[in-house]
Amino acid sequence: MPFDVRRFDIYRKVPKDLTQPTYTGAFISILCCFFILFLFLSELTGFIATEIVNELYVDDPDKESGGKIEVSLNVSLPNLHCDLVGLDIQDEMGRHEVGHIDNSMKIPLNRGDGCRFEGEFTINKVPGNFHVSTHSATAQPQSPDMTHNIHKLVFGEKLQVKKVQGAFNALGGANRLSSNPLASHDYILKIVPTVYEDLTGKHRFSYQYTVANKEYVAYSHTGRIIPAIWFRYDLSPITVKYTERRQPFYRFVTTICAIVGGTFTVAGIIDSCIFTASEAWKKIQIGKMS
């Protein structure tokens, strides 16, 4: 007797003449197909889309930076001449730079009466400050006006990711044009290292920061008022990491199989219960008639 591989078929076929189609079964089958299609499209959308997972840990994520942080500053002083505007940088490592000019630009405003300062520079990863002032000017003005508008203050690379809503430019749009012209402004910044890892495993390093500010009138040892815009910063030991992830393909396939198999199984049970109940009801009615 020849070997017949068909004996291993666990999905035995029932001849059509032994089956009985019903309107209820047809309705449940159509409803079942639409339900499976809806769940399939939902899972497909979730599989294609990416999710952002965040975590916190204590470490310096960007060790290759050499202990430096890139800073980008853009601020307008509409009532202070460009010849008087300068940037000073100092920190706890002993750095004290007055009148920083590298990678900076001064754009006259209001027909030369004002100035827009744009600069890119680096700071050390230690507490310190940088400030916009008239300290580097050859001659100090009698009444310098430090009213200002901050357009941008960004540390590191600014992340342009829709799903990451961080404070990467927390001072962007800060308006102090209506403040006391002779007042100094202190912006106290807490800088938080931030890492973003995309699907390819590439890391991008940036920094978020929180801000607290105060306004006051400062006098020099000679009794003169010399206002400035101070940005005092300190680094947080906590690093925020955002990781971009996508659902694994095997999990997507497993979910689709569960949807199809589960839906057909439940639909078959419902159809069987309805058919059994209807047949029993018919027998009861025939019994009453006889």
Side-chain angles (χ1 to χ4, degrees):
M1 181 178 179
F3 177 76
D4 190 359
V5 74
R6 291 180 298 177
R7 68 179 63 182
F8 296 105
D9 185 9
I10 61 176
Y11 303 102
R12 300 299 177 94
K13 310 303 183 293
V14 180
K16 288 187 177 181
D17 56 351
L18 298 179
T19 60
Q20 179 181 350
T22 62
Y23 288 106
T24 304
F27 175 77
I28 292 177
S29 299
I30 295 174
L31 191 63
C32 179
C33 291
F34 278 109
F35 185 69
I36 290 176
L37 179 62
F38 170 75
L39 293 181
F40 172 77
L41 294 177
S42 300
E43 287 297 325
L44 181 62
T45 303
F47 173 71
I48 295 175
T50 58
E51 63 175 348
I52 305 296
V53 180
N54 60 75
E55 59 180 313
L56 303 176
Y57 60 92
V58 179
D59 193 14
D60 179 10
D62 192 10
K63 295 182 176 64
E64 298 180 357
S65 64
K68 303 287 185 180
I69 300 177
E70 296 182 356
V71 184
S72 179
L73 175 65
N74 189 330
V75 57
S76 293
L77 298 94
N79 301 309
L80 194 63
H81 197 275
C82 281
D83 292 338
L84 303 174
V85 177
L87 177 69
D88 309 328
I89 307 172
Q90 56 189 17
D91 60 35
E92 293 186 358
M93 291 184 66
R95 181 182 183 183
H96 191 182
E97 186 175 348
V98 179
H100 178 86
I101 58 175
D102 295 338
N103 297 323
S104 62
M105 180 171 54
K106 301 177 184 179
I107 304 172
L109 301 175
N110 301 334
R111 298 181 181 179
D113 294 331
C115 185
R116 179 167 179 158
F117 179 85
E118 299 180 6
E120 294 183 355
F121 52 96
T122 60
I123 58 175
N124 295 316
K125 291 182 178 181
V126 295
N129 73 80
F130 53 91
H131 52 276
V132 178
S133 66
T134 61
H135 298 166
S136 60
T138 305
Q140 294 296 321
Q142 292 297 323
S143 56
D145 189 337
M146 279 294 167
T147 54
H148 60 278
N149 189 9
I150 301 175
H151 306 288
K152 182 176 72 170
L153 176 58
V154 175
F155 297 89
E157 181 183 357
K158 185 177 180 181
L159 296 179
Q160 300 287 350
V161 182
K162 293 181 179 179
K163 294 184 179 181
V164 176
Q165 302 296 330
F168 298 99
N169 187 21
L171 274 175
N175 190 320
R176 300 292 183 268
L177 298 178
S178 59
S179 60
N180 183 356
L182 297 177
S184 290
H185 300 266
D186 257 16
Y187 295 102
I188 300 152
L189 316 176
K190 193 69 171 180
I191 301 176
V192 182
T194 304
V195 184
Y196 183 83
E197 181 181 348
D198 60 18
L199 289 174
T200 62
K202 180 181 177 181
H203 290 83
R204 296 163 60 187
F205 302 97
S206 185
Y207 297 85
Q208 304 181 62
Y209 60 93
T210 59
V211 185
N213 68 285
K214 62 179 179 178
E215 180 181 328
Y216 59 95
V217 177
Y219 295 87
S220 67
H221 63 280
T222 61
R224 292 184 57 187
I225 300 176
I226 305 180
I229 306 171
W230 295 82
F231 301 93
R232 307 181 191 272
Y233 61 87
D234 192 8
L235 272 79
S236 169
I238 303 297
T239 296
V240 180
K241 183 179 182 181
Y242 297 99
T243 305
E244 188 177 11
R245 293 178 181 175
R246 177 172 288 163
Q247 181 182 2
F249 181 71
Y250 73 86
R251 186 177 300 174
F252 171 71
V253 174
T254 303
T255 304
I256 296 302
C257 292
I259 288 173
V260 175
T263 303
F264 273 119
T265 300
V266 174
I269 294 173
I270 294 174
D271 179 62
S272 178
C273 292
I274 294 175
F275 179 76
T276 303
S278 64
E279 290 296 316
W281 178 254
K282 289 179 180 178
K283 291 180 179 180
I284 292 174
Q285 294 296 323
I286 292 175
K288 288 181 179 180
M289 293 177 60
S290 62

